[in-house]
Amino acid sequence: MVEEAVSIGEAVPRPGFEGAVQACFDNAVNLRLRGRDRIVTLLVSDHYELPQGIRIASRPPMFGQIRVGTPAWAQDDVLRFEDASLVIDLSRAETWTCPVRSLEADMGGSRPAAAWSAAWGFLNQRQREEGSDIVGVELLGAPPSSALGRRLAEGARGLLESARGFDVDGATRAARTLIGLGRGLTPAGDDLLVGFLAGLWGAVGKNRRRQQFLGRFGDGLLALRPLTTDLSATYVLHATDGLFSSSLSNLLAAIAHGDPVSAPAEEAFRVGHSSGTDAATGLLLGLAAWQPQLLTGLLSSRAEAGWERT
Amino acid sequence: MTTFQRTMKNHYRDSVALMQLSSQLRALDGVRQASAVMATANNLSLLVEAGLLNEMPKPSPNDLLVVVETRDEASATTALDKAQAMLDKPVSTAKAGETREAEPRSLQMGQRALPGANLALISTPGEYAAAEARKALQLGMHVMIFSDNVPIKDEIALKQYSREHDLLVMGPDCGTAIINGIPLGFADVVRRGDIGVVAAAGTGLQQVTCLIDRFGGGISQAIGTGSHDLSADVGGITMQQGIESLAADPKTKVIVLISKPPAPSVTERVLATAGRSGKPVVVDFIGAKARNFESKLIAGVGTLEDAAAAAVSIAKGKKASPASGRLPAKYARLVAPSAQQLKRQQKYVRGLFSGGTFCYETVLLLSEKVGTVFSNTPLRPEGRLGDVWKSIGHSAIDFGDDLFTHGRPHPMIDFRLRNERILQEARDPETAVILLDVVLGYGAHPDPAGELVPAIKEARRIAHSAKRNLVFVGSVCGTDEDPQGLSRQEARLREVGVILTDSNAQAARLSAAIVTKR
């Protein structure tokens, strides 16, 4: 059966690659690339893009039943599986380019700030409704009661404070407490971390000090990748290059432009079980890292007022 | 308690699957704690902190670690084998980088999942229902509250809020409605049409809508108000809003109101609203004097059947003919043969009901012919049955009363209590007629006749062994479109000799006629 790919993320190696099926789900097949420490994801969606994604629009029969370990390779614009269960024609696929690096959000502007506040409100409401391990405002307030929540909160605070002080070592230490923390293929700590990087990339602009911090922090993160799952490590890898999923990018773009955020926020929240809201939490914190007035009033104790006012 | 673990190499599951796995393992006998995580350093450290691991093992982030704390090693082996078996099954999740449709776990999520949804059905324990209803109203949704035991002050507050915001609160204790052709709660599949019903009586609403269907009419909307709406405290807010809604609905030509008699001040308000509707309104305030309500637009009737008949006549452009209150000839001819089967000491009707309105209407109609009818829902205090578990004289029992439903399903679903009572009545030498209602539709038992028939046969056997006969009279409330099928259910009951009438009122009158004939 030949399926036609609709789009290919810019981080998918071109012109080709070799690998094997690492995991198989109803609407996604992850391929671990041979000789490279990363994953390429073949996904079924009508709109969702990944930097490492090859997107097809409809689900072929037997898609979710490809055996783990099956060799796969892309060559001459065709992705094949050794058991011939599926062939993907890549020749007409458009390259999806993540727009985050060019956004240059001015989070001091009134419209982006208003959009950020709206998104923060939606996020916290959703997380409370879903009983998430992470509730944005609780990361900044009293310590959550669960051990997982407490560690996530400590890590998030560490990231915020370190980014604000351009403390690369502190940020890397905070990232170390988060990476691989939580259930599932993309643990909550990683989602938070990737989202935080997206926020920083969105807000970095042409500020050299911020750019330097982001570059060095990225280097530190690359060294932490072996501490998490292969899939999550792939997201972290691309995040250090400023590449993120379309849903996270769209939310970031809406905030940067001061556009209505309810629709892109909803799209971002719907990724995975809690991955979407966890990453959105990181994104909003990252955007606020260098504009702490956005968080004014959200901190629960006066002890934080020092950096709140700055 | 001891902890045990198993590592599964290169196993990948999303967080939902791992949470479900942990939860299922915790539910196993002998398992105190269970956790399934990817074996990253941070997750292992969490498990150490939680006491599920004694020491920090070597991390392997692409492996899945299952840890259980169990009573003994055998329980651990069982749990870990189960985990292995579950993880070896093919993945059936949409995760791994793909978006998902969130399972709604709140009204907000439900509304997002179904944009444009404007009605929330609340069925929670009573103490939580008001809070959920308030949320729904604040989201701009109409509300049907199936739950009972909601404090009256909360009902008043909800209804005042809804009225101010042009929303409708059906309930609390609203078991039945048909909105835009969709049966909600206990409700029947009826033809759509131009008759709108507002009822503070669940089975009353079911009877009227089914009879309208049987008489060739159809339902535009059937709005339940809940059983407390017409009290002086609540003031009939929902019934008045319901009338106003139906008055504004171009598809509704005739309005029917059903209730036990409201508080006098409320009656006045409701009738004033009905009068302002500009549409013909049929009123059955069961037990109240119908002629007190009569006006140019309002027709008062005395039974549910009369309400349905009048509404259909008016909708067809005819005048509602006054109800005779007499037993139709097709039933009258059954009176003498039935009465002749009975012995001298068999004097009483024993009504055993699953529908509260049916019981109340029966007490009313029966008492007109036979005098006092004892009941757990009596017309007057002197008719209250001292011991609801034992009938005296003419009796009518509502098995939907809280007395009988505490800790067990409603009698429309669970027939055990009523069936036991059928046998008890059969043993009583004074029982002449056992009068039953059978309610079909969504929410009701899938085969009510199948539940009743064995009890009826056994009751007859008991009576025959004492050289007596029993007369069974009943009515089936439902339509052929209901899941149980009216004709099928009636046929099964007729096979065991139950005399069926078209309505509850006729069944009550027929029963009265049989016991007074002797």
Side-chain angles (χ1 to χ4, degrees):
Chain A
M1 167 165 289
V2 179
E3 288 291 326
E4 196 168 275
V6 181
S7 59
I8 299 180
E10 62 183 295
V12 175
R14 304 296 289 267
F17 58 82
E18 287 180 40
V21 174
Q22 180 244 19
C24 194
F25 300 86
D26 273 357
N27 288 315
V29 173
N30 289 333
L31 308 173
R32 184 187 281 120
L33 302 193
R34 184 179 299 166
R36 302 187 198 193
D37 53 354
R38 67 186 69 177
I39 298 285
V40 163
T41 300
L42 176 63
L43 72 156
V44 182
S45 175
D46 59 359
H47 65 285
Y48 185 66
E49 306 281 8
L50 290 171
Q52 75 278 19
I54 297 172
R55 180 167 72 84
I56 55 178
S58 60
R59 187 183 187 281
M62 311 299 285
F63 183 84
Q65 296 175 29
I66 299 168
R67 283 182 301 109
V68 170
T70 301
W73 62 93
Q75 190 177 19
D76 300 330
D77 279 336
V78 178
L79 170 62
R80 298 175 193 279
F81 291 78
E82 190 178 73
D83 62 4
S85 55
L86 189 60
V87 176
I88 309 292
D89 176 3
L90 307 176
S91 63
R92 295 190 205 176
E94 292 185 1
T95 299
W96 180 73
T97 305
C98 175
V100 166
R101 285 166 297 188
S102 58
L103 281 175
E104 299 186 17
D106 173 15
M107 294 311 295
S110 59
R111 289 184 59 194
W116 184 95
S117 295
W120 183 257
F122 290 142
L123 173 71
N124 281 274
Q125 183 187 357
R126 172 61 62 87
Q127 288 170 325
R128 287 201 176 96
E129 286 169 15
E130 297 196 344
S132 303
D133 289 321
I134 296 177
V135 177
V137 75
E138 290 175 5
L139 293 179
L140 306 173
S145 56
S146 74
L148 174 61
R150 212 163 41 244
R151 290 193 182 200
L152 290 167
E154 285 166 7
R157 281 169 174 259
L159 287 178
L160 263 177
E161 289 165 8
S162 303
R164 189 178 171 280
F166 300 101
D167 173 4
V168 172
D169 290 342
T172 308
R173 276 197 303 276
R176 182 181 282 275
T177 67
L178 289 172
I179 199 156
L181 179 63
R183 304 177 190 90
L185 277 172
T186 60
D190 296 359
D191 292 325
L192 190 76
L193 193 55
V194 167
F196 189 76
L197 276 167
L200 294 183
W201 272 100
V204 70
K206 292 188 169 53
N207 183 311
R208 289 201 54 191
R209 200 171 176 207
R210 293 181 186 177
Q211 288 174 343
Q212 282 174 353
F213 171 80
L214 193 50
R216 291 176 56 210
F217 180 37
D219 292 342
L221 286 177
L222 291 177
L224 300 179
R225 291 177 65 232
L227 300 179
T228 190
T229 64
D230 285 350
L231 180 63
S232 215
T234 301
Y235 282 109
V236 172
L237 169 70
H238 297 317
T240 61
D241 287 333
L243 303 179
F244 304 91
S245 70
S246 60
S247 62
L248 212 52
S249 304
N250 292 341
L251 177 57
L252 179 47
I255 294 170
H257 299 141
D259 290 340
V261 294
S262 61
E266 181 63 31
E267 183 196 343
F269 297 166
R270 285 171 56 179
V271 174
H273 175 61
S274 60
S275 286
T277 49
D278 294 344
T281 306
L283 168 70
L284 295 176
L285 293 178
L287 281 172
W290 292 312
Q291 292 293 342
Q293 73 274 15
L294 290 172
L295 297 172
T296 301
L298 299 177
L299 301 174
S300 66
S301 78
R302 298 181 70 83
E304 281 80 19
W307 70 272
E308 207 179 317
R309 274 198 302 269
T310 312
Chain B
M1 290 283 172
T2 319
T3 60
F4 300 86
Q5 64 191 69
R6 190 173 294 177
T7 302
M8 291 154 206
K9 297 289 287 179
N10 292 316
H11 257 81
Y12 302 95
R13 291 293 185 276
D14 65 46
S15 53
V16 179
L18 295 182
M19 278 191 285
Q20 286 170 346
L21 174 63
S22 303
S23 165
Q24 289 181 37
L25 295 182
R26 275 195 293 272
L28 294 176
D29 185 42
V31 177
R32 185 165 166 264
Q33 282 196 75
S35 187
V37 294
M38 300 307 290
T40 64
N42 273 322
N43 285 338
L44 296 174
S45 156
L46 265 183
L47 294 174
V48 171
E49 185 181 319
L52 278 169
L53 291 177
N54 295 325
E55 57 185 26
M56 184 78 179
K58 186 171 183 289
S60 49
N62 290 306
D63 297 341
L64 206 160
L65 179 69
V66 181
V67 188
V68 291
E69 184 182 15
T70 58
R71 185 178 52 211
D72 49 38
E73 190 167 354
S75 305
T77 304
T78 304
L80 293 171
D81 286 349
K82 182 178 173 68
Q84 180 88 57
M86 290 170 69
L87 289 164
D88 284 343
K89 280 186 191 166
V91 178
S92 59
T93 167
K95 175 105 177 356
E98 179 53 294
T99 54
R100 44 99 198 197
E101 292 297 330
E103 280 289 324
R105 291 191 291 276
S106 69
L107 289 165
Q108 291 95 327
M109 292 176 74
Q111 202 180 39
R112 272 196 294 273
L114 186 60
N118 66 352
L119 172 68
L121 199 163
I122 311 286
S123 180
T124 66
E127 61 262 44
Y128 308 115
E132 290 304 312
R134 200 168 291 118
K135 286 180 205 167
L137 290 170
Q138 285 166 352
L139 288 167
M141 290 193 274
H142 304 287
V143 176
M144 175 174 172
I145 308 175
F146 193 86
S147 320
D148 196 4
N149 300 314
V150 175
I152 199 81
K153 66 175 175 44
D154 287 338
E155 178 171 351
I156 294 167
L158 288 169
K159 291 191 169 182
Q160 286 174 344
Y161 180 95
S162 70
R163 184 171 54 190
E164 286 161 15
H165 293 79
D166 203 20
L167 295 167
L168 194 67
V169 172
M170 297 186 281
D173 192 26
C174 176
T176 307
I178 303 172
I179 304 297
N180 293 333
I182 307 296
L184 300 172
F186 289 100
D188 300 275
V189 183
V190 296
R191 190 184 299 113
R192 296 207 69 182
D194 51 13
I195 299 171
V197 182
V198 191
T203 40
L205 186 148
Q206 286 189 267
Q207 172 86 111
V208 170
T209 54
C210 288
L211 289 176
I212 286 171
D213 183 276
R214 187 181 290 206
F215 298 154
I219 300 299
S220 57
Q221 309 287 348
I223 297 167
T225 67
S227 57
H228 318 292
D229 185 66
L230 296 173
S231 66
D233 289 335
V234 182
I237 294 174
T238 304
M239 183 161 274
Q240 291 174 75
Q241 283 187 285
I243 296 167
E244 287 162 0
S245 304
L246 294 174
D249 173 22
K251 291 183 177 162
T252 300
K253 276 168 62 178
V254 184
I255 299 170
V256 181
L257 307 182
I258 309 291
S259 170
K260 288 181 187 174
S265 61
V266 180
T267 303
E268 203 172 305
R269 263 179 270 167
V270 167
L271 292 177
T273 307
R276 285 195 300 272
S277 71
K279 293 183 178 178
V281 181
V282 177
V283 178
D284 181 15
F285 287 159
I286 307 161
K289 281 201 168 61
R291 82 172 61 122
N292 292 350
F293 317 136
E294 297 279 354
S295 71
K296 190 176 171 191
L297 280 174
I298 299 175
V301 296
T303 67
L304 300 167
E305 181 183 24
D306 291 344
V312 172
S313 290
I314 295 168
K316 288 180 176 172
K318 300 175 190 165
K319 203 171 170 194
S321 51
S324 69
R326 286 190 190 156
L327 197 60
K330 63 179 177 178
Y331 305 129
R333 65 183 169 75
L334 301 173
V335 172
S338 300
Q340 283 163 12
Q341 298 176 34
L342 300 170
K343 297 227 177 249
R344 182 182 298 274
Q345 75 271 31
Q346 289 182 274
K347 295 180 283 191
Y348 298 124
V349 177
R350 302 284 159 80
L352 308 176
F353 294 91
S354 57
T357 314
F358 291 147
C359 184
Y360 189 80
E361 188 182 59
T362 296
V363 173
L364 187 79
L365 295 173
L366 210 52
S367 60
E368 286 174 5
K369 304 289 183 189
V370 302
T372 300
V373 177
F374 295 94
S375 177
N376 53 336
T377 57
L379 292 179
R380 287 174 287 277
E382 60 269 25
R384 180 163 294 282
L385 201 52
D387 177 2
V388 296
W389 301 100
K390 187 173 187 321
S391 301
I392 53 170
H394 299 289
S395 296
I397 313 294
D398 171 15
F399 282 90
D401 192 327
D402 290 349
L403 281 165
F404 299 107
T405 57
H406 188 73
R408 69 177 77 231
H410 193 277
M412 289 182 199
I413 300 166
D414 184 341
F415 283 70
R416 283 175 297 176
L417 265 189
R418 191 156 69 142
N419 283 347
E420 286 167 15
R421 189 62 170 260
I422 288 172
L423 303 186
Q424 186 180 320
E425 301 300 349
R427 290 185 198 102
D428 183 343
E430 293 189 318
T431 301
V433 176
I434 294 179
L435 173 57
L436 302 168
D437 67 342
V438 180
V439 182
L440 311 183
Y442 288 109
H445 191 282
D447 182 16
E451 289 291 297
L452 282 168
V453 163
I456 292 168
K457 284 182 175 172
E458 176 63 11
R460 287 200 188 285
R461 193 196 61 75
I462 290 168
H464 286 158
S465 67
K467 301 194 176 354
R468 286 182 277 114
N469 286 311
L470 281 173
V471 177
F472 282 88
V473 175
S475 65
V476 183
C477 175
T479 70
D480 272 331
E481 301 306 316
D482 280 332
Q484 303 89 345
L486 175 65
S487 304
R488 291 197 302 275
Q489 291 289 309
E490 286 185 331
R492 293 197 67 182
L493 292 166
R494 286 195 175 104
E495 278 173 16
V496 290
V498 180
I499 302 171
L500 293 176
T501 61
D502 289 344
S503 71
N504 182 67
Q506 300 297 3
R509 285 178 175 139
L510 174 58
S511 301
I514 291 169
V515 293
T516 52
K517 177 76 179 173
R518 303 175 54 256

